[in-house]
Amino acid sequence: MDISILKSSLVKLNDFIYFDENQYLREKCSNFEALNELSHQFEEAIKSIEQYSKTEQIFLFGNLGNLYRIAGDSKQAVIILEKSI
């Protein structure tokens, strides 16, 4: 998958991610279907991770980890974010 397509998809997050003032400004999602679809696109790209440069790999793992975190899957987020390190 083309990295530029994934980067442009991240802009759509602004439509359904917000900071919940009642939970110490924690990021929340109002459209989990769209969040899951975007996560799936990143997961598909990671299946062929060797085709990407190190910078692109960090981008992919870092953003996928953040998507998992926003979705509330902290355990999976930590696993993926550790790969970006």
Side-chain angles (χ1 to χ4, degrees):
M1 176 170 275
D2 187 4
I3 291 288
S4 63
I5 293 171
L6 291 173
K7 286 181 180 180
S8 65
S9 296
L10 290 174
V11 175
K12 297 174 188 171
L13 288 174
N14 293 327
D15 295 338
F16 52 87
I17 300 296
Y18 63 96
F19 294 97
D20 189 342
E21 294 179 10
N22 297 320
Q23 290 197 341
Y24 308 103
L25 297 177
R26 181 168 299 210
E27 287 176 292
K28 297 287 184 143
C29 180
S30 63
N31 185 346
F32 280 100
E33 185 177 319
L35 184 68
N36 289 334
E37 175 58 34
L38 187 54
S39 295
H40 179 69
Q41 291 174 10
F42 275 84
E43 290 165 352
E44 287 299 312
I46 286 175
K47 286 181 179 177
S48 56
I49 196 71
E50 64 280 344
Q51 77 178 5
Y52 300 106
S53 70
K54 290 293 181 191
T55 303
E56 291 170 331
Q57 290 177 18
I58 292 168
F59 168 80
L60 291 169
F61 284 123
N63 280 287
L64 181 58
N66 284 329
L67 292 171
Y68 282 140
R69 179 184 54 78
I70 293 168
D73 191 350
S74 301
K75 185 175 182 177
Q76 188 66 19
V78 169
I79 291 168
I80 295 296
L81 287 170
E82 284 179 341
K83 289 182 180 184
S84 70
I85 294 172

